[in-house]
Amino acid sequence: MRGITKRFPGVVANERVDFEAAAGEVHALLGENGAGKSTLSNILTGLYRPDEGEIYLHGRPVEFHSPREALDAGISMVHQHFRLVERFTVAENIALGDHRREGRSFRLRSRVIERRVADLGGRYGLAVDPQAHIWQLSVGEQQRVEILKALYLDARILILDEPTAVLTPQEAEVLFETLRELAADGRTIVFISHKLHEVKAVSDRVTVLRAGRRVSTVEADEATPRSLAELMVGRSLGEGVQAEPREPGEVVLALEDVWADGDRGGAAVKGVSLQVRAGEIVAVAGVAGNGQRELAETIAGVRPAANGTVRVAGKRPRSGDPRAAIRAGVAYVPEDRLGTGLAPSVSIASNLALKSYREAPASTGPLLRLRRIRDRAIELIDRYRIAAPGPHAPVRLLSGGNLQKVVLAREFSGKPKVLVAASPTRGLDVGAIESVHTYLHEAAANGVGVLLLSEDLDEILTLADRIAVVYEGQIVGETTRAQANVEEIGLQMAGGEDPRRD
């Protein structure tokens, strides 16, 4: 890609970007949120057309007017959020979008497709039952299906967007082995990730984008995670969050045999008992979809408990009542920061007042004191270094990191006893992650009990004092950070089975 420029109203997403990747190479693409990685990938896969610049494939200039043209040229992308139909089988999902002879025939030739899928899976270590339905598969197996879709279409250039975000350490290592095999077969892998140690582990070269421009391309074995992070943010980083030793206080959150139903019926949380003390960070580790969201919502009063009790500082707020949980001292940072944590079209100032507008100084009786709400917002924007046009701007205009800062600023300003943080750094860049980690440590240092729910073991081992592992809605293991074993935790997250046995 030579001199690629792409403009949107008021934004230059890519500016004269040069990017090249070789056959047989794993090439990592790094950058903060808003650096232009997704736009560049969307141009390469035919979703966008560049305003300026050219694309060369095997030395020849090409123009893609649609994703189908990019697919026909052998370019495919595996998105972070899988594009699979749960009720269809593996073979049926892989056949979707295939407009060649197999897709145009009157009757789907299932046996032919299943044989080819099985052959591809065996060749590249992506074993999965072609006749299994997607809903029956683990997250790691679903990702194999996404990669098999690309290989089935004979993709020679494969783009993977945050491919390890929902994988256990063992599943991630299996994926890396597959990527190396694909590269050894002459394919080109573009690896987009925020996890710098993974970039070092699997890639040959690394291209770093910042503010829509390419700042450097380096050999992976000559770079360090720290040097890559500093290229991404354009400044020197601190030594990371250095937490002072804390002596936990009294129990501020106690869960006793808590059960909660899922959205599809059946129990999503099954008999969870757990305690969090003041000044302590307790992490719940687990692969997405094992009851973490339902557990967080139950504590925050968003979802009623089917059984068991939730106590906050010794009191038992009414189950299924968010206002009761707020009054009891529960702050909640949901995993869906824009859809659940904030009102997108409402101003930053109003979002910051969502939990305090009933009380002084934000209101007097039934009347809102708009000037006080604005002044408070200006104070919080400054304190949390929220990059925003002003307190009256709609919150949807902010980047992911600044959206999360708005949520944290609102939750912390209520002086909570308990903070429930669900995947608080998912999708954030290295600078924003550093800020969020600092805020969580500061909360614990001020005597708040923090319950962190995360799929990122690196984050958990950085922050947590104690670690509980959840699988299929149950706590299956507990340990302290000092005694934590990454391999053991990874196996517990996967239900005690090593995916390399597949």
Side-chain angles (χ1 to χ4, degrees):
M1 305 177 81
R2 291 281 177 258
I4 298 295
T5 297
K6 181 64 179 178
R7 303 180 185 89
F8 297 99
V11 177
V12 180
N14 291 138
E15 185 173 1
R16 297 190 298 275
V17 174
D18 293 339
F19 175 75
E20 66 174 34
E25 173 182 48
V26 179
H27 196 124
L29 189 59
L30 290 180
E32 294 187 274
N33 298 116
K37 306 185 301 296
S38 295
T39 301
L40 197 67
S41 299
N42 287 332
I43 289 171
L44 186 55
T45 53
L47 188 62
Y48 297 154
R49 295 192 66 189
D51 298 319
E52 299 172 15
E54 295 178 304
I55 301 174
Y56 293 86
L57 191 61
H58 305 297
R60 298 178 179 177
V62 293
E63 288 187 16
F64 299 136
H65 299 86
S66 69
R68 173 172 288 189
E69 291 184 5
L71 278 171
D72 288 342
I75 301 173
S76 185
M77 184 167 179
V78 176
H79 295 268
Q80 181 177 350
H81 302 289
F82 303 149
R83 312 294 174 91
L84 300 171
V85 182
E86 289 194 350
R87 292 183 178 274
F88 284 10
T89 66
V90 169
E92 289 167 347
N93 270 276
I94 288 174
L96 279 175
D98 182 8
H99 58 280
R100 301 168 301 173
R101 169 174 279 182
E102 292 95 328
R104 289 200 302 266
S105 61
F106 177 75
R107 184 172 60 87
L108 187 69
R109 296 189 293 174
S110 300
R111 299 302 179 195
V112 174
I113 297 170
E114 288 169 3
R115 281 198 299 270
R116 188 174 173 201
V117 170
D119 290 344
L120 285 170
R123 180 177 177 184
Y124 293 107
L126 294 166
V128 64
D129 182 0
Q131 297 181 342
H133 290 82
I134 297 301
W135 63 267
Q136 297 174 310
L137 304 181
S138 70
V139 174
E141 289 172 320
Q142 290 182 36
Q143 187 176 69
R144 295 181 203 177
V145 176
E146 286 281 21
I147 297 174
L148 283 170
K149 281 172 63 177
L151 299 179
Y152 184 83
L153 295 171
D154 199 28
R156 304 302 302 177
I157 298 174
L158 188 59
I159 305 170
L160 293 97
D161 185 11
E162 297 286 350
T164 63
V166 293
L167 302 185
T168 67
Q170 288 86 353
E171 288 173 325
E173 183 53 43
V174 171
L175 173 65
F176 296 160
E177 292 175 5
T178 299
L179 297 184
R180 295 183 192 106
E181 290 178 12
L182 291 170
D185 193 39
R187 301 177 194 267
T188 302
I189 311 297
V190 179
F191 184 82
I192 301 173
S193 177
H194 282 116
K195 299 181 180 180
L196 300 179
H197 69 279
E198 292 183 353
V199 168
K200 282 278 297 173
V202 75
S203 61
D204 300 297
R205 288 191 295 163
V206 185
T207 290
V208 182
L209 301 182
R210 186 169 69 239
R213 297 183 177 184
R214 184 181 72 89
V215 295
S216 184
T217 297
V218 298
E219 298 291 330
D221 58 4
E222 296 176 0
T224 65
R226 185 179 182 83
S227 69
L228 292 172
E230 291 179 350
L231 283 172
M232 288 170 61
V233 301
R235 59 181 171 84
S236 296
L237 295 174
E239 295 298 327
V241 178
Q242 302 296 323
E244 295 294 328
R246 298 183 301 268
E247 188 65 34
E250 63 183 12
V251 174
V252 291
L253 175 65
L255 308 179
E256 301 168 7
D257 192 29
V258 172
W259 291 71
D261 294 333
D263 295 333
R264 300 181 182 179
V269 179
K270 305 172 184 177
V272 169
S273 296
L274 191 67
Q275 290 186 343
V276 181
R277 297 179 178 275
E280 182 181 40
I281 299 178
V282 176
V284 175
V287 176
N290 278 277
Q292 301 97 309
R293 178 173 62 86
E294 292 83 358
L295 178 62
E297 291 177 351
T298 302
I299 298 168
V302 178
R303 182 182 300 267
N307 198 12
T309 59
V310 177
R311 298 184 187 277
V312 181
K315 298 180 180 179
R316 184 176 177 180
R318 186 167 63 180
S319 177
D321 186 344
R323 192 180 298 184
I326 294 169
R327 285 196 298 265
V330 176
Y332 178 38
V333 179
E335 60 182 5
D336 182 7
R337 62 182 71 99
L338 191 58
T340 304
L342 299 165
S345 297
V346 174
S347 71
I348 297 170
S350 294
N351 271 282
L352 288 169
L354 279 177
K355 291 189 173 181
S356 60
Y357 69 88
R358 298 182 184 90
E359 305 165 356
S363 63
T364 302
L367 301 177
L368 293 175
R369 304 176 72 179
L370 298 180
R371 182 174 296 178
R372 293 291 181 90
I373 291 174
R374 182 203 62 192
D375 291 345
R376 178 62 169 161
I378 292 172
E379 176 189 338
L380 291 174
I381 287 170
D382 180 64
R383 183 192 304 175
Y384 287 87
R385 299 192 298 277
I386 300 169
H392 298 302
V395 77
R396 60 182 167 78
L397 299 179
L398 302 183
S399 68
N402 287 298
L403 288 171
Q404 194 72 316
K405 288 181 182 180
V406 172
V407 176
L408 291 168
R410 183 188 66 215
E411 300 303 313
F412 289 170
S413 63
K415 298 181 179 178
K417 296 181 177 70
V418 174
L419 173 65
V420 180
S423 300
T425 60
R426 178 186 289 164
L428 301 188
D429 57 63
V430 64
I433 289 172
E434 185 180 50
S435 297
V436 171
H437 286 181
T438 298
Y439 298 146
L440 293 177
H441 271 301
E442 287 176 353
N446 290 327
V448 177
V450 178
L451 182 66
L452 170 68
L453 299 102
S454 179
E455 303 142 26
D456 188 338
L457 273 182
D458 292 330
E459 177 171 73
I460 287 171
L461 294 172
T462 297
L463 295 175
D465 301 301
R466 290 192 292 119
I467 303 166
V469 182
V470 65
Y471 178 72
E472 293 188 349
Q474 296 178 298
I475 300 295
V476 295
E478 291 189 49
T479 186
T480 63
R481 177 171 54 183
Q483 298 174 329
N485 179 288
V486 173
E487 284 288 320
E488 183 178 338
I489 292 174
L491 287 171
Q492 291 172 342
M493 289 169 66
E497 296 180 2
D498 192 328
R500 283 172 289 195
R501 296 174 187 164
D502 292 348

